[in-house]
Amino acid sequence: MVKTKFSIALHIMTLLSIYKDEWLTSAWIAASLNMNPVLVRKEIAILKENGLIDSKEGKNGGVRILKDAKNIKLSDIFNSVKGEDNVLSLLKNTPNPDCIVGKQINQNLKSLLNTIDKAVSDALEKQTLENFKNQF
Amino acid sequence: MVKTKFSIALHIMTLLSIYKDEWLTSAWIAASLNMNPVLVRKEIAILKENGLIDSKEGKNGGVRILKDAKNIKLSDIFNSVKGEDNVLSLLKNTPNPDCIVGKQINQNLKSLLNTIDKAVSDALEKQTLENFKNQF
DNA sequence: TGTACTGTAATAAAAAATATTACATTATAA
DNA sequence: TTATAATGTAATATTTTTTATTACAGTACA
């Protein structure tokens, strides 16, 4: 998981929850984030796949939130952007298979990294987008 | 925080806990990890600063664990390598200060990212290095 | 039918992570 | 007392990942 993806997604979702009846454009959202609109559209594709938002092509198109912010948990956003990756990762390099630890550590680590993801998700499950939004 | 740092550090600590009476060299550890010895030494410097291990220069030098694995929590390792960074990060780009969200989001996000780190640390506090080691 | 959007692919640029080289310093043991 | 084998660390290079840009097809509206 790219370390900044959650921050990007939460920024987008916050904007959409504040302007909940409008179709915001990727260019407008990108200006708030101060980043590239194409990347915003890619992020939007992921949030859309996960049923959190809707988008409309063509003139006067844009992006809109699908649910009430009260019913969106921050864990919903986290798990959407997390995808298959872990928050913390294994090394790319294959550890030495002739070492008792190297031979087996990735298997053991993987399970621990999943536990870490679960801990994050559980913590974020207690918080709603509504609550985050209301800080602004 | 570099995403792989925790995995690297835990691999090192596992080796040291298994060979707890020996001075392991950075070259030997690096061979198990299949990575560069200089990076292992940098990681070792951090674990040493945090009082988890000891190192000895000169011939027959190396690295040794300082405490019994039973008394090392995985959160001790995590918090050592985490340092000042968050597991998930803010963007580098400054969000738009003319936007109600952009103006303030980093402050709000920062607090949330700290909560995430705390959740990870709390989850790892329940696990000991002894326990992880015994899986091998 | 022109305009203003999304969607997405291809490529480029920038940044971050990892590797390498080099060498000063230190401790040991022959 | 000297050769050797280690850590510590700086400087640089390489590789990988992330971010940005360009380009354009497809779509919907007015």
Side-chain angles (χ1 to χ4, degrees):
Chain A
M1 179 194 185
V2 179
K3 291 193 300 180
T4 54
K5 271 202 156 188
F6 176 68
S7 293
I8 294 169
L10 184 51
H11 189 141
I12 294 172
M13 292 301 292
T14 301
L15 289 171
L16 294 177
S17 73
I18 290 175
Y19 302 97
K20 71 189 160 87
D21 297 321
E22 299 176 42
W23 294 93
L24 302 183
T25 69
S26 63
W28 190 89
I29 294 170
S32 173
L33 274 150
N34 187 21
M35 69 182 290
N36 196 281
V38 175
L39 299 182
V40 170
R41 295 207 282 270
K42 280 185 181 157
E43 205 63 26
I44 279 167
I46 289 162
L47 295 167
K48 189 178 179 180
E49 268 174 32
N50 284 273
L52 296 174
I53 65 178
D54 191 18
S55 71
K56 191 171 69 167
E57 287 182 65
K59 194 171 180 182
N60 298 335
V63 190
R64 196 172 57 167
I65 201 165
L66 270 181
K67 306 201 248 178
D68 194 290
K70 283 192 190 71
N71 299 321
I72 296 178
K73 296 175 213 145
L74 298 191
S75 56
D76 296 332
I77 299 170
F78 170 74
N79 286 302
S80 297
V81 299
K82 185 177 111 54
E84 296 302 302
D85 299 337
N86 289 111
V87 167
L88 300 183
S89 338
L90 301 177
L91 304 196
K92 274 293 184 65
N93 296 358
T94 307
N96 188 346
D98 298 333
C99 167
I100 184 177
V101 172
K103 182 167 53 188
Q104 208 191 322
I105 195 162
N106 277 358
Q107 197 175 314
N108 299 348
L109 272 176
K110 181 74 175 122
S111 148
L112 188 57
L113 299 182
N114 287 338
T115 302
I116 288 173
D117 290 350
K118 179 77 166 43
V120 173
S121 182
D122 288 352
L124 294 176
E125 195 160 11
K126 294 173 197 142
Q127 307 200 34
T128 64
L129 179 58
E130 174 75 11
N131 225 271
F132 189 77
K133 184 197 82 171
N134 285 339
Q135 294 181 293
F136 293 90
Chain B
M1 179 193 183
V2 180
K3 290 194 302 183
T4 54
K5 271 201 157 188
F6 177 68
S7 293
I8 294 169
L10 184 51
H11 189 141
I12 294 172
M13 291 301 290
T14 301
L15 289 171
L16 293 178
S17 73
I18 290 174
Y19 301 99
K20 70 187 160 90
D21 297 321
E22 298 175 42
W23 294 93
L24 302 183
T25 69
S26 62
W28 190 89
I29 293 169
S32 173
L33 275 150
N34 188 23
M35 68 182 289
N36 196 282
V38 174
L39 299 182
V40 169
R41 295 205 282 272
K42 281 185 181 158
E43 205 63 26
I44 278 167
I46 289 162
L47 294 167
K48 189 178 178 180
E49 267 172 34
N50 284 273
L52 296 174
I53 65 177
D54 190 20
S55 71
K56 190 172 69 167
E57 287 183 65
K59 194 171 179 181
N60 297 335
V63 189
R64 197 172 56 168
I65 202 166
L66 268 181
K67 306 201 249 177
D68 194 292
K70 284 193 190 71
N71 299 320
I72 297 179
K73 298 175 212 145
L74 299 192
S75 56
D76 297 332
I77 298 169
F78 170 74
N79 287 304
S80 297
V81 298
K82 184 176 111 53
E84 297 302 302
D85 300 337
N86 289 112
V87 166
L88 300 182
S89 336
L90 300 178
L91 305 196
K92 272 295 183 66
N93 296 357
T94 307
N96 187 346
D98 298 332
C99 167
I100 184 176
V101 172
K103 184 167 51 189
Q104 210 189 322
I105 195 163
N106 277 358
Q107 198 176 313
N108 298 348
L109 272 176
K110 181 73 175 124
S111 147
L112 188 57
L113 299 182
N114 287 339
T115 303
I116 289 173
D117 290 351
K118 178 75 165 46
V120 173
S121 183
D122 288 352
L124 293 177
E125 194 160 11
K126 295 175 195 138
Q127 306 199 35
T128 64
L129 179 59
E130 174 75 12
N131 226 270
F132 188 78
K133 183 196 85 172
N134 285 340
Q135 295 180 292
F136 293 89

